[in-house]
Amino acid sequence: MIPPRLVLATRNRGKVAELGALVGAGAQVAVLTLDAFPDAPDVEEEGASYVENGIRKAQTAAAATRLPALAD
């Protein structure tokens, strides 16, 4: 059986290590990053808050990859 996949909406290796450890710890989920999707666009952090920026990044990654996405 192929495990469900989740995209971390980042290319930052430090964030990948942090978020991957939290999400992947004991989970039956394949955690991918935007590095696996070279055509996925980067999102400028222009929101009024961290929350707005995270939502925009996750939505953009989900639309580009057609997978559930998580952003910080």
Side-chain angles (χ1 to χ4, degrees):
M1 182 168 122
I2 299 172
R5 298 180 294 168
L6 174 70
V7 176
L8 298 182
T10 186
R11 296 185 203 285
N12 179 308
R13 297 210 184 269
K15 289 181 184 179
V16 169
E18 291 174 11
L19 293 173
L22 291 173
V23 172
Q28 299 278 324
V29 176
V31 178
L32 306 169
T33 68
L34 290 180
D35 289 335
F37 305 91
D39 293 334
D42 290 322
V43 176
E44 296 295 322
E45 295 187 2
E46 299 173 337
S49 68
Y50 291 121
V51 172
E52 284 182 24
N53 289 330
I55 290 169
R56 287 186 60 221
K57 288 193 279 185
Q59 289 175 333
T60 301
T65 65
R66 297 183 181 206
L67 293 170
L70 175 68
D72 65 328

